[in-house]
Amino acid sequence: PASEPFVSLSDGIKPPGFVDWRKFGAPPGAPGQAPHHPAVKEHEFIGWIIALHFLGAIELASLCLAEENVTLCQMTPSLHHNEDAISETSAEKSLPPPTVPLQNITQMSKNFYSLLHGSPARGIAVSSKWKMNKVSCYTTFEPSLTGNLGDLVVRGIAQNSQGLDIMLPKGAQFYNQGWVLDIGDSEKKAKRKLARYGGLGFVDSKQAFYGVNASGVLELSLPLDEPSAADVVIVCGVNEKRGENECKIERDVAFAIGGTPVEPELINFGSASYLGKPICCELAIPSTPFTGTNRKGISLQMSVKSTKVTTKDGACSVSHVVVG
């Protein structure tokens, strides 16, 4: 790792930020102190990196607001008061093109690339100005202030499971009625261990909607006013350490958007994986997605098509949905 040259230095010359690099803040023996989990100093270091990225963006925005560098900033009408300077509507944010072109990232699809970097603005040369679609994120994880995935559910939740303690076991009598809001076995074990230490002060519930073949269709209504407002839907399963026979989202789950079947494409890229295992897939939005049961949004339907998926080996799950 990039930290190794600094961590390996002797204590006398080691930078303060790398001293006690692998020391955790939790008491000895508390769960979570795994090699792949950042300790206190690494968390602080990541925080500084994020802060510096934000600082760079703030400096650029301040230049735009002061109108000191209009060409660099690719001003939007909301920041620039000269209506003739830019032809886009105020709803579209004008950006410079990405520094890394799509052809240089072989493992990334065009739709996923546009979600992260945007796409050429309509009617404008590719090398000139780019725009970002509105990106909406939804999750079942807690804590969350906005974007509760459960609020998007139209149908498909096991009624007999609603309101139950998330720590209680849930067997076939629940999964045969629909998808179940639950947490995995390893997560439950970790929570029981954490209880001995008072929870360590932070709510972290990796809950998700789980389903098997008998659970039927889980339907979500994704808020979207018009098809051109988004290009892709990203669906992620929960990050768990399970066996080889667990559900594989790209193989075992059938998806439909607006009633049109959509083939999932596994995302083999960076943070869309857990312990080296891809857990997210992308779904290209069809050109005519407004044919679902809910006319106020795009209907996203998912069901487990494989009869070999079991709760014992690892049911299929959905914990995050991103639209953009």
Side-chain angles (χ1 to χ4, degrees):
S3 61
E4 185 59 32
F6 301 97
V7 175
S8 60
L9 294 173
S10 63
D11 290 341
I13 60 173
K14 186 181 297 182
F18 292 93
V19 176
D20 297 327
W21 183 251
R22 290 302 302 164
K23 183 179 180 180
F24 287 85
Q33 302 182 39
H36 61 277
H37 285 171
V40 174
K41 291 290 187 177
E42 188 170 355
H43 273 295
E44 292 177 351
F45 185 63
I46 293 171
W48 273 107
I49 293 174
I50 294 173
L52 289 174
H53 276 286
F54 277 117
L55 180 61
I58 291 171
E59 289 177 340
L60 182 60
S62 67
L63 286 176
C64 294
L65 290 170
E67 302 187 20
E68 294 179 7
N69 199 327
V70 176
T71 303
L72 172 65
C73 297
Q74 298 289 314
M75 300 296 291
T76 66
S78 60
L79 297 177
H80 196 287
H81 301 295
N82 181 1
E83 295 182 357
D84 296 329
I86 281 185
S87 61
E88 296 104 328
T89 66
S90 59
E92 289 184 320
K93 305 299 183 184
S94 179
L95 299 169
T99 56
V100 181
L102 174 61
Q103 56 266 31
N104 289 6
I105 312 177
T106 56
Q107 70 270 45
M108 189 183 293
S109 72
K110 179 180 178 181
N111 285 331
F112 188 47
Y113 181 84
S114 69
L115 183 72
L116 298 179
H117 300 283
S119 55
R122 294 183 186 85
I124 300 176
V126 173
S127 60
S128 176
K129 297 171 184 175
W130 282 51
K131 67 177 184 66
M132 290 290 294
N133 287 335
K134 177 183 177 182
V135 178
S136 302
C137 304
Y138 306 94
T139 183
T140 54
F141 281 16
E142 291 184 347
S144 64
L145 297 177
T146 60
N148 187 332
L149 187 60
D151 294 339
L152 306 185
V153 175
V154 177
R155 62 186 176 97
I157 299 298
Q159 296 298 317
N160 58 356
S161 69
Q162 293 185 317
L164 290 180
D165 187 336
I166 200 74
M167 293 295 290
L168 290 176
K170 299 172 182 68
Q173 71 271 27
F174 297 102
Y175 282 88
N176 289 342
Q177 297 295 319
W179 289 65
V180 177
L181 183 65
D182 202 1
I183 56 177
D185 290 339
S186 59
E187 184 72 6
K188 287 181 179 177
K189 291 177 182 177
K191 282 187 172 297
R192 293 188 185 103
K193 291 180 180 179
L194 279 173
R196 297 164 48 195
Y197 300 91
L200 297 182
F202 182 75
V203 177
D204 179 21
S205 182
K206 297 182 178 67
Q207 57 194 38
F209 290 118
Y210 289 84
V212 295
N213 180 261
S215 302
V217 175
L218 177 65
E219 181 177 3
L220 309 178
S221 178
L222 308 180
L224 197 61
D225 295 331
E226 56 183 69
S228 61
D231 299 312
V232 65
V233 175
I234 307 295
V235 178
C236 298
V238 71
N239 50 320
E240 294 181 276
K241 186 176 182 179
R242 305 192 295 188
E244 287 296 320
N245 295 324
E246 68 172 328
C247 169
K248 291 182 171 51
I249 192 170
E250 81 286 1
R251 180 194 67 191
D252 298 323
V253 181
F255 293 95
I257 294 181
T260 301
V262 177
E263 284 296 321
E265 183 175 342
L266 195 64
I267 299 175
N268 290 292
F269 187 80
S271 58
S273 64
Y274 177 70
L275 298 180
K277 174 185 65 178
I279 56 175
C280 298
C281 67
E282 62 174 275
L283 310 170
I285 297 178
S287 57
T288 56
F290 290 96
T291 57
T293 59
N294 191 328
R295 304 294 292 183
K296 295 182 180 180
I298 290 181
S299 168
L300 170 62
Q301 298 177 342
M302 59 194 80
S303 59
V304 182
K305 58 186 178 181
S306 173
T307 57
K308 296 181 179 180
V309 172
T310 66
T311 56
K312 180 181 178 181
D313 291 328
C316 299
S317 68
V318 54
S319 56
H320 310 285
V321 173
V322 180
V323 186

